[in-house]
Amino acid sequence: MSRFLSERFAELEPYTPGEQPQDRVYIKLNTNESPYPPSPQVLEAVNREQVSLLNLYPDPTCHVLREKLADTYGVEAENVFVTNGSDDILNMAFMAFCDREHGIAFPDITYGFYSVYGQFHGVPCHVVPLTEDYRIHVPDYENIGMHIVIANPNAPTGIALPLNAIEKIVRSNPDHVIMIDEAYVDFGADSALSLVGRYENLLVIRTYSKSRSLAGARLGFAVGSRELIQDLERIKYCMNPYDVNRLTQIAGIACLESDTYYKTNAENVMQVREYTTKALKDRGFVVLPSNANFVFARKPGIEGEAIYQQLRAGGVLVRWFSGARIRDFVRITIGTKEQMDQLLSVLDNERS
């Protein structure tokens, strides 16, 4: 680091994103992207006319997109917050609701950005261990007396909580904000959106990066009480009111207008997930039950890093984490059936 970096960031450990190698062509099953392109409506909407307007600032309120999101999810526009990806929402939520006196709880095995944001903003983090079978133990979060962020389904395990479990956590902590990160909810889990009208402390966070094939466009939204959304807007307008560009807003609207396309894609991913899970189990892998667009798997007797390196050498990228409890696992994004067959072929070549 340079001698100019502020001392408060000297010990900061940044988030490590999935690798994006440029040296060769890989089958990318490491960053939970959709294997499908955006819908034809999106490709048509992001057209030459819209590109010609890039000399103008985008709408900072994202008015049309917010109204469309509100109609889609059965809420009012004042209950919707839109920004540049769900990571930005998490960052702003940590800023808006947490400080040195108001800490936050989350699982020990979960999305890595939670601990990064806690450290970045100087927020006390209460890390709650998952159970031995990698599940969230709901009583650990009831009446905990601090803010909470939970990915549902969890990452990288893929295991989801049922809606009644989420409600127990939200209901038992009425004076603290409960953030439910639903990046993967469209792949078979229960959404907490139906609870927003009943609990003013609930913030549901969603992304267009997974089921809606817009990881490259950077678009996320949150649904919550009017007061929570106003708090997030306050933070946004102190940082960057133009954080969602014109083309991304247009693409986001077109996505909602082609919902059937994306639901079909999600169903395809779920079918291929089940196919892949069975195929891995047939090869001796232990696979955690997943409601996400990935599976978390290990093979007894073989280190996770060795499986990662074997697949990488065979042209298939997956994600390996070095954490003590999960170092024997690899996280495998679900692609097309053809892509998963290639992954299985690489695994089989090692056995032959």
Side-chain angles (χ1 to χ4, degrees):
M1 71 186 74
S2 81
R3 61 190 174 90
F4 303 106
L5 182 68
S6 171
E7 288 186 6
R8 70 183 187 275
F9 298 132
E11 304 300 322
L12 188 64
E13 296 182 13
Y15 175 76
T16 303
E19 60 185 318
Q20 304 283 347
Q22 307 296 316
D23 59 324
R24 57 175 287 191
V25 176
Y26 290 91
I27 295 176
K28 283 187 81 279
L29 305 177
N30 65 326
T31 51
N32 299 339
E33 297 150 321
S34 172
Y36 303 106
S39 71
Q41 290 93 322
V42 170
L43 301 180
E44 182 178 350
V46 183
N47 54 35
R48 186 180 184 90
E49 178 183 358
Q50 292 299 327
V51 171
S52 73
L53 297 174
L54 287 179
N55 58 307
L56 305 176
Y57 284 108
D59 174 14
T61 70
C62 302
H63 172 74
V64 177
L65 177 56
R66 286 179 72 173
E67 291 284 352
K68 194 74 176 179
L69 284 164
D71 289 343
T72 299
Y73 294 104
V75 296
E76 300 298 323
E78 65 182 11
N79 300 118
V80 180
F81 176 72
V82 181
T83 190
N84 180 30
S86 59
D87 288 338
D88 261 17
I89 298 172
L90 290 163
N91 186 29
M92 293 183 202
F94 270 68
M95 283 190 280
F97 309 122
C98 305
D99 53 39
R100 295 188 184 277
E101 288 73 43
H102 301 88
I104 191 163
F106 49 81
D108 64 333
I109 300 170
T110 192
Y111 185 35
F113 246 136
Y114 303 155
S115 59
V116 171
Y117 288 141
Q119 186 182 13
F120 186 84
H121 296 297
V123 174
C125 295
H126 178 55
V127 179
V128 183
L130 296 180
T131 62
E132 287 299 313
D133 58 352
Y134 301 99
R135 296 178 182 274
I136 289 173
H137 187 229
V138 172
D140 291 341
Y141 294 88
E142 293 182 85
N143 303 296
I144 199 169
M146 62 183 69
H147 304 306
I148 297 170
V149 59
I150 290 176
N152 195 49
N154 195 18
T157 66
I159 299 174
L161 286 173
L163 185 59
N164 64 343
I166 294 292
E167 186 167 15
K168 285 181 181 179
I169 295 171
V170 176
R171 185 174 58 233
S172 70
N173 294 282
D175 298 322
H176 296 88
V177 178
I178 313 302
M179 308 172 211
I180 305 299
D181 182 353
E182 294 189 345
Y184 304 102
V185 76
D186 288 335
F187 301 102
D190 295 330
S191 174
L193 284 172
S194 63
L195 301 178
V196 167
R198 282 183 268 166
Y199 299 98
E200 63 181 14
N201 63 320
L202 173 61
L203 186 71
V204 178
I205 301 168
R206 304 285 290 267
T207 180
Y208 274 69
S209 294
K210 314 303 181 186
S211 64
R212 293 192 179 272
S213 304
L214 285 185
R218 313 308 303 133
L219 182 60
F221 67 97
V223 179
S225 65
R226 181 172 61 90
E227 291 76 14
L228 291 182
I229 299 306
Q230 286 178 339
D231 293 339
L232 293 174
E233 292 283 351
R234 177 185 292 269
I235 299 298
K236 171 179 172 175
Y237 277 79
C238 288
M239 295 173 58
N240 179 14
Y242 300 109
D243 62 347
V244 182
N245 71 71
R246 176 181 300 277
L247 299 183
T248 293
Q249 290 186 41
I250 293 295
I253 295 166
C255 272
L256 297 175
E257 293 173 344
S258 47
D259 202 44
T260 300
Y261 172 85
Y262 292 103
K263 287 181 177 178
T264 299
N265 288 348
E267 290 170 0
N268 290 339
V269 167
M270 288 187 278
Q271 290 174 5
V272 176
R273 181 184 67 206
E274 300 314 307
Y275 165 80
T276 303
T277 297
K278 181 181 184 302
L280 288 171
K281 288 181 176 179
D282 289 345
R283 288 161 172 79
F285 280 80
V286 175
V287 185
L288 299 188
S290 175
N291 285 111
N293 68 335
F294 57 84
V295 293
F296 206 45
R298 66 179 177 88
K299 189 168 186 180
I302 302 179
E303 294 182 352
E305 186 177 14
I307 297 172
Y308 158 76
Q309 294 290 1
Q310 173 193 342
L311 288 167
R312 195 179 197 282
V316 180
L317 293 180
V318 297
R319 191 80 190 266
W320 174 72
F321 301 92
S322 60
R325 292 187 65 189
I326 56 174
R327 60 182 299 108
D328 288 337
F329 285 84
V330 289
R331 191 195 68 193
I332 305 169
T333 301
I334 300 301
T336 63
K337 184 176 181 298
E338 292 74 21
Q339 289 174 325
M340 307 318 292
D341 282 338
Q342 183 62 34
L343 173 138
L344 295 170
S345 177
V346 174
L347 292 174
D348 289 342
N349 286 341
E350 181 67 14
R351 297 191 304 167
S352 59

